[in-house]
Amino acid sequence: MADTAHRTPRALDLKYQPGFTSVAMLCFFVLYAPIAVLVFFSFNANRSVTRWTEFSLDWYVRALANEGIQNAAVTSLEVAVFATVFATSIATAAALATTRVARYRGMTAAYTVINMPLMVPEIVTAVATLSFFALLRTTLGINFGLGNVMIAHTVFCIPFAYLPIRARLENMDLTLEQAAADLYATPWRTFRRVTLPLLVPGVIAGAMLAFIISLDDVIITMMVAGPGQTTLPIYILGQIRRGVTPEVNAVSTILLAVSILFVTLFFLLGRRRT
Amino acid sequence: MTAEAIKTPEGPPSSITERTVAGRQARTRGLLLAPAMLVIGVFGILPLFIALTYSFLEGGTYGGVEWVFSTEAYVQLLFERDIFEETLTFNTAYLEIFWRSFLLAAFSTLACLLIGFPAAYFMATRPAKSRDFWVFLITIPFWTNLLIRTFSIQLILRDEGVINIVLTELGLLAQPLQLIYTDFAVGLGLIYSFLPFMVLPIYAALERLDFRLVEAGFDLYATRAQVLRRIVVPLAKPGIVAGSILVFIPGLGAWITPELLGGGKELMIGNMIALQFGSSRNWPFGSAAALVLMAMVLVALVIYVRNVGKSGADHG
Amino acid sequence: MTKVFGGGTDVVRALDGVSLGIQENEFFTLLGPSGCGKTTLLRLIAGFEQPSGGEILLDGASLTHLPPFRRPVNTVFQSYALFPHMTVIDNIAFGLEMRGLSKTETADHVAEMLDLVKLSDLGKRKPGQLSGGQQQRVALARALANHPRVLLLDEPLSALDLKLRKEMQIELKRIHRDTGITFIFVTHDQGEALTMSDRIAVMNAGHVLQVGSPTEIYEHPTSHFVADFIGETNFLEGEVVARDGASAKVRLSSGVERQASAPKDAAAAGRVSLAIRPERVTLSQSRQTGALNGRVETMVYFGTDTNYHLRLEDGRAFMVRLQNHEGAQAPFATGDEVAVEIADHALQVLRD
């Protein structure tokens, strides 16, 4: 903003619309202020989450030493890693089959199925999945335990992993693979040496999205999870219902930091691509 | 030319024709799609049909279902059955929940549009370099934990929350304002939750907008307001429609927001459904409500597809 | 050879009964407007598409049903299609490695190729760090490293600016001479085709209209399309009065009779279309009875030449190109009445 002297006066700036900048600033303020308050009071020495006394890391120390939180974190990670690995693999295969090909019969159907978990409201998915696993348990005696949660997460993570992989594939030059074939590479070697290396950034981006989506899920986990299968968000929800202490703020801040880290990586990866 | 041996990779030369290539491609495609179709089909779509089946069964005493056909769940949506007299009286309690959910979702969609459009326009008119920064700022709440973000709103609106404390200490309030556990709180929570979902698609549309069209508009004597209304908004329409859908659908089925900010008093469809699978132990009724919600969402999606199809034809 | 795309009602016949024979060591060009099928033909030869009918033979052996990675032909892609995640050396070595050559052999070939395209000091770079011209050379080296029987070039120069394109044209000719490999070159640029090729096949709408040397194509176009697509041409109507092999006596509408070149399969009598290049006629002052008379409407100065746009008596437009001479004033001015003089054999009878 050092070039103020050269800036076009507002009246002559064709892109200027009165009031838009203020609304935009309000928008960003509204989005960040509550989070800022939450993070701020996680450092409060007092038990209050709204009255500041002095700076302290006590609540973080407590949160990290809390066995319930530790267990929930482990469960969250187990579920998220499982869902990420499977959803990303499945989505990669699906993306390879649905991009850069002439339209074929059933492609729209395949596309709809892949994106289906995005279209169904979470609460509907949650109760339907609950009903499904209940039916499996009562009629066939099958219960995968935490596996139920993992499978449910895999399903809704697939479309999120699929999006960036598909985008990456669509931007990829088809002639690169033809060039490889022209240079005596068999289809499998073409895939190994050309397609896959070029696809890697998309796969990583997809995996990161799948990971944060799984890590953040509340409703589906709440419905599907059995007793003792508490993920971090479920634990936080329980604490909020019971009455909050800055400890909840501290755990929330940690979870937020993880999400923000992944979003940042995802964002940087996307930027490098273009 | 003489035929000399060409060094090619090992193995006999495989012969291909137009048809075998097409066949081979179809087979590979099938294999690649199979896992996604199988996983989503079995664990994503099949459960919806099970929910559909459950909605036509009788509820079990301790949750679950009894395998007896019944339309009771759907009757219950509209009527109240008197157990002793076996009479049905029209009951609007559940209809009201649906209506309130619809209004809250529609209202917050409109509010998101009114805030989101200027914000997206602001972002799209930044210089290319700083634009990335603003997009990043919007992307973070887009992907971060909804529960935590809603919790942060709760911290602000509570009786002993930031707003009440500040207002009391300034002497403007004698006793705390009831902010939380109201429709206002739920609406605010929905706006806060889904605002990024509105901004990003509109931004995507505006970013592609060729601002020479705006110049052409001014050249042809349009005022700022006219340029906005006649040129910018129509060209951003696909983004506006997509954003509205992305706010409206999750808003309609919201669970976290009414749970934390409505306090279980101001029910929305989502909580009502969850309640049936929880303490109310009425799975058939919960399933029926879920399917009605699903139907509402489908209607919204159909409207969306139609709109996008039309605007797509408009702009080539 | 036939290639049909799509099915049902929206069938596109990209190639319709095309048959070509290409000689060893030839620089053969497929020339035509976009969508004429030239790229489809090239892709069929490379093996990226499979023909709906017909065969591709190399030395009498069929390539038709071989996948691209088993064909002894290599392609220089229009977009170059350099692997962005590999260095220049890795790109050039790719085909050799796939064919199972030893590391030392590969290294030798790569060095030789880098030398051939004069990029020896850029081997460690990635394609993204090269200029358009350099990328072009890498693409060429990568294809040539395999010593293909046929090198296919799909509009390889279209992405370069004019100056670089001229340089690369000369460079390509040199490489063609040095390697002795058969080149099949696809372009829509008639100038490029004329300067570089041994022979040209002019294509339109899935058909090959004429095959011949650049001189034959330019001087003796056999069809309306070829005459119009290559260079500038005036079209006239005439009547064949006598026919003798490759030559015919034609009478123009003005009554003048001239000897004209005629393709073998052109009409032996009756009304025909005639083509004449604007530089193959002369102008003289004032009208003459029995000549093509007209008036100068516009003059366009080109440095070496001046184009005179005439309106003939019958209302047709006609263009004449005259060379400019040092110091000389333009011999004609706008509005002048002039007569167009046509020499024997300057006219070309067209098939259609």
Side-chain angles (χ1 to χ4, degrees):
Chain A
M1 299 296 144
D3 57 344
T4 322
H6 303 288
R7 243 194 290 169
T8 326
R10 229 172 220 184
L12 295 178
D13 180 1
L14 296 179
K15 291 176 176 178
Y16 173 76
Q17 288 288 348
F20 275 29
T21 305
S22 323
V23 176
M25 290 305 126
L26 176 78
C27 170
F28 286 106
F29 176 78
V30 162
L31 284 177
Y32 280 92
I35 298 181
V37 169
L38 180 143
V39 173
F40 182 72
F41 282 103
S42 73
F43 296 107
N44 195 1
N46 194 309
R47 270 195 77 81
S48 166
V49 287
T50 34
R51 268 179 212 278
W52 180 256
T53 46
E54 62 176 325
F55 179 84
S56 150
L57 286 173
D58 278 4
W59 298 107
Y60 285 89
V61 175
R62 271 193 212 206
L64 293 175
N66 182 330
E67 208 169 306
I69 291 176
Q70 287 171 358
N71 290 339
V74 170
T75 309
S76 269
L77 272 182
E78 281 171 359
V79 172
V81 168
F82 179 95
T84 302
V85 170
F86 280 87
T88 310
S89 319
I90 292 169
T92 307
L96 285 167
T98 48
T99 44
R100 311 177 307 155
V101 286
R103 293 202 71 80
Y104 53 87
R105 220 157 34 148
M107 187 156 111
T108 318
Y111 192 67
T112 312
V113 170
I114 293 165
N115 286 297
M116 202 272 322
L118 291 181
M119 293 182 279
V120 181
E122 257 193 297
I123 184 71
V124 176
T125 309
V127 300
T129 315
L130 166 65
S131 305
F132 174 77
F133 283 123
L135 191 66
L136 273 192
R137 196 177 54 240
T138 52
T139 58
L140 300 173
I142 300 173
N143 186 1
F144 301 114
L146 191 59
N148 287 356
V149 181
M150 290 172 168
I151 292 169
H153 277 228
T154 304
V155 172
F156 68 74
C157 284
I158 288 173
F160 288 100
Y162 175 78
L163 286 173
I165 299 172
R166 181 191 150 94
R168 176 81 189 171
L169 270 171
E170 274 181 344
N171 289 332
M172 202 190 287
D173 189 357
L174 252 183
T175 55
L176 290 175
E177 280 146 307
Q178 284 171 359
D182 188 60
L183 295 165
Y184 313 102
T186 56
W188 170 244
R189 295 179 93 172
T190 301
F191 179 74
R192 273 278 299 112
R193 294 290 304 274
V194 177
T195 316
L196 202 56
L198 291 172
L199 194 55
V200 163
V203 173
I204 294 176
M208 289 195 308
L209 282 194
F211 189 79
I212 41 180
I213 288 295
S214 166
L215 207 59
D216 288 350
D217 179 73
V218 178
I219 308 168
I220 294 169
T221 314
M222 185 186 71
M223 285 287 171
V224 175
Q229 299 167 359
T230 308
T231 61
L232 219 38
I234 300 295
Y235 180 89
I236 294 172
L237 180 67
Q239 293 298 307
I240 294 172
R241 279 172 166 167
R242 211 167 297 159
V244 290
T245 61
E247 190 179 356
V248 182
N249 292 36
V251 186
S252 300
T253 304
I254 294 171
L255 198 52
L256 268 180
V258 173
S259 291
I260 291 173
L261 177 75
F262 273 79
V263 177
T264 311
L265 288 176
F266 171 76
F267 197 78
L268 292 177
L269 204 68
R271 247 184 22 164
R272 212 187 54 182
R273 202 186 315 163
T274 54
Chain B
M1 285 198 267
T2 50
E4 63 178 278
I6 312 290
K7 198 166 181 187
T8 54
E10 65 293 334
S14 48
S15 155
I16 51 166
T17 64
E18 224 175 359
R19 197 185 295 167
T20 58
V21 165
R24 210 176 287 173
Q25 281 173 349
R27 215 166 39 241
T28 315
R29 232 160 37 208
L31 282 175
L32 288 170
L33 273 176
M37 298 299 113
L38 209 68
V39 169
I40 299 177
V42 173
F43 299 108
I45 296 173
L46 184 61
L48 292 177
F49 285 96
I50 290 173
L52 177 68
T53 315
Y54 275 22
S55 73
F56 287 104
L57 295 177
E58 275 183 11
T61 326
Y62 304 105
V65 287
E66 299 290 331
W67 287 85
V68 180
F69 177 81
S70 164
T71 53
E72 185 64 26
Y74 291 93
V75 173
Q76 216 184 329
L77 275 174
L78 292 177
F79 299 99
E80 192 171 22
R81 191 184 290 279
D82 190 307
I83 317 165
F84 301 109
E85 296 179 18
E86 285 288 311
T87 53
L88 291 176
T89 37
F90 191 59
N91 177 0
T92 57
Y94 294 121
L95 273 185
E96 273 168 28
I97 291 176
F98 274 88
W99 181 239
R100 178 191 295 119
S101 304
F102 175 82
L103 280 184
L104 277 168
F107 164 77
S108 51
T109 304
L110 187 68
C112 281
L113 180 60
L114 291 178
I115 304 170
F117 186 88
Y121 185 89
F122 167 82
M123 287 161 62
T125 51
R126 288 315 91 194
K129 268 189 183 169
S130 55
R131 220 180 281 170
D132 269 355
F133 166 75
W134 294 107
V135 174
F136 179 61
L137 278 191
I138 276 291
T139 315
I140 285 185
F142 189 93
W143 291 114
T144 44
N145 198 309
L146 198 58
L147 173 70
I148 294 173
R149 293 179 57 219
T150 310
F151 171 49
S152 73
I153 285 280
Q154 201 193 48
L155 291 181
I156 298 215
L157 296 184
R158 274 152 32 120
D159 288 354
E160 60 278 18
V162 173
I163 292 181
N164 274 318
I165 285 185
V166 169
L167 290 181
T168 321
E169 302 218 323
L170 289 175
L172 296 172
L173 284 178
Q175 56 192 50
L177 267 180
Q178 177 65 40
L179 293 171
I180 200 163
Y181 308 143
T182 59
D183 272 349
F184 165 77
V186 176
L188 192 70
L190 290 176
I191 296 168
Y192 175 70
S193 298
F194 303 123
L195 188 53
F197 293 54
M198 179 67 87
V199 176
L200 278 180
I202 298 181
Y203 167 76
L206 286 176
E207 199 223 353
R208 280 196 299 269
L209 184 112
D210 182 354
F211 272 92
R212 281 173 300 186
L213 296 173
V214 169
E215 288 171 14
F218 283 119
D219 186 58
L220 297 166
Y221 314 108
T223 61
R224 276 186 207 286
Q226 283 168 327
V227 163
L228 190 65
R229 198 165 56 83
R230 300 283 299 275
I231 298 169
V232 180
V233 170
L235 288 173
K237 194 182 155 198
I240 292 173
V241 177
S244 302
I245 280 291
L246 284 179
V247 174
F248 182 77
I249 290 183
L252 196 61
W255 179 82
I256 293 177
T257 317
E259 184 73 15
L260 293 193
L261 303 176
K265 271 199 314 184
E266 309 297 330
L267 276 185
M268 284 180 73
I269 310 173
N271 312 73
M272 187 186 91
I273 295 170
L275 213 55
Q276 307 310 315
F277 285 83
S279 53
S280 293
R281 296 206 177 120
N282 191 345
W283 288 30
F285 181 60
S287 300
L291 285 164
V292 173
L293 171 61
M294 187 69 223
M296 288 168 83
V297 166
L298 281 179
V299 170
L301 280 175
V302 167
I303 292 172
Y304 167 69
V305 170
R306 286 227 177 133
N307 256 296
V308 167
K310 248 192 276 167
S311 65
D314 284 351
H315 307 304
Chain C
M1 167 131 325
T2 304
K3 176 65 190 176
V4 179
F5 287 113
T9 47
D10 43 289
V11 168
V12 177
R13 294 188 89 83
L15 284 178
D16 199 358
V18 167
S19 183
L20 283 172
I22 297 165
Q23 308 297 312
E24 183 158 16
N25 300 345
E26 196 172 22
F27 196 120
F28 191 88
T29 298
L30 300 171
L31 172 67
S34 57
C36 73
K38 55 190 193 300
T39 296
T40 304
L41 184 54
L42 201 74
R43 293 169 61 80
L44 285 168
I45 301 173
F48 304 141
E49 313 267 359
Q50 271 61 52
S52 314
E55 281 217 278
I56 301 159
L57 300 178
L58 181 65
D59 295 338
S62 174
L63 293 183
T64 323
H65 300 309
L66 287 180
F69 53 90
R70 296 199 197 282
R71 295 188 188 204
V73 298
N74 289 111
T75 309
V76 176
F77 292 84
Q78 183 171 12
S79 59
Y80 312 144
L82 297 178
F83 305 126
H85 57 303
M86 300 182 195
T87 62
V88 167
I89 287 176
D90 291 343
N91 262 284
I92 298 174
F94 189 86
L96 304 168
E97 199 184 318
M98 291 298 131
R99 282 161 59 211
L101 266 66
S102 72
K103 281 218 154 67
T104 46
E105 255 180 304
T106 304
D108 287 350
H109 276 300
V110 171
E112 187 190 326
M113 283 304 133
L114 281 173
D115 196 41
L116 180 73
V117 297
K118 299 170 184 160
L119 284 178
S120 298
D121 43 348
L122 297 180
K124 295 243 160 46
R125 295 221 187 150
K126 292 268 181 81
Q129 300 164 305
L130 301 179
S131 71
Q134 289 166 340
Q135 291 184 20
Q136 227 285 293
R137 285 160 192 269
V138 177
L140 199 59
R142 186 178 69 174
L144 284 170
N146 306 288
H147 297 293
R149 303 297 307 277
V150 181
L151 183 71
L152 306 171
L153 302 109
D154 186 7
E155 310 223 11
L157 307 180
S158 61
L160 303 178
D161 61 42
L162 186 65
K163 189 163 170 289
L164 209 53
R165 192 153 67 220
K166 296 280 179 217
E167 276 174 35
M168 278 310 293
Q169 285 176 4
I170 296 165
E171 189 77 5
L172 267 181
K173 280 302 278 182
R174 174 183 72 83
I175 291 170
H176 175 242
R177 205 176 48 238
D178 291 356
T179 56
I181 290 171
T182 309
F183 278 34
I184 302 180
F185 186 89
V186 160
T187 184
H188 64 269
D189 181 335
Q190 38 137 332
E192 203 166 274
L194 291 175
T195 40
M196 301 180 72
S197 320
D198 293 326
R199 281 197 305 152
I200 299 171
V202 184
M203 296 183 65
N204 187 37
H207 294 272
V208 171
L209 296 176
Q210 191 173 355
V211 182
S213 69
T215 330
E216 279 166 357
I217 298 279
Y218 185 82
E219 300 290 341
H220 302 294
T222 57
S223 59
H224 199 284
F225 180 84
V226 175
D228 198 29
F229 187 70
I230 296 169
E232 285 170 307
T233 308
N234 294 298
F235 292 102
L236 296 171
E237 297 285 315
E239 200 177 337
V240 176
V241 291
R243 175 77 201 248
D244 175 25
S247 145
K249 179 164 252 182
V250 293
R251 185 189 300 128
L252 298 178
S253 53
S254 59
V256 190
E257 287 187 9
R258 286 286 182 271
Q259 283 296 332
S261 310
K264 283 187 224 93
D265 50 351
R271 300 204 61 79
V272 286
S273 270
L274 299 161
I276 186 161
R277 299 286 179 196
E279 71 274 12
R280 295 293 302 273
V281 297
T282 52
L283 284 184
S284 60
Q285 291 285 359
S286 77
R287 334 177 128 244
Q288 290 162 21
T289 43
L292 282 176
N293 291 317
R295 207 155 55 84
V296 178
E297 280 198 329
T298 329
M299 289 164 58
V300 183
Y301 177 72
F302 277 104
T304 53
D305 306 297
T306 300
N307 282 355
Y308 294 86
H309 294 266
L310 313 183
R311 182 67 58 190
L312 298 182
E313 280 174 330
D314 59 1
R316 264 170 201 278
F318 194 93
M319 192 175 80
V320 177
R321 180 178 305 141
L322 298 180
Q323 215 171 39
N324 296 324
H325 298 289
E326 196 194 356
Q329 282 218 308
F332 305 97
T334 308
D336 279 2
E337 299 284 341
V338 291
V340 179
E341 291 175 8
I342 300 171
D344 273 343
H345 301 294
L347 284 164
Q348 172 73 33
V349 176
L350 303 176
R351 266 194 317 236
D352 48 354

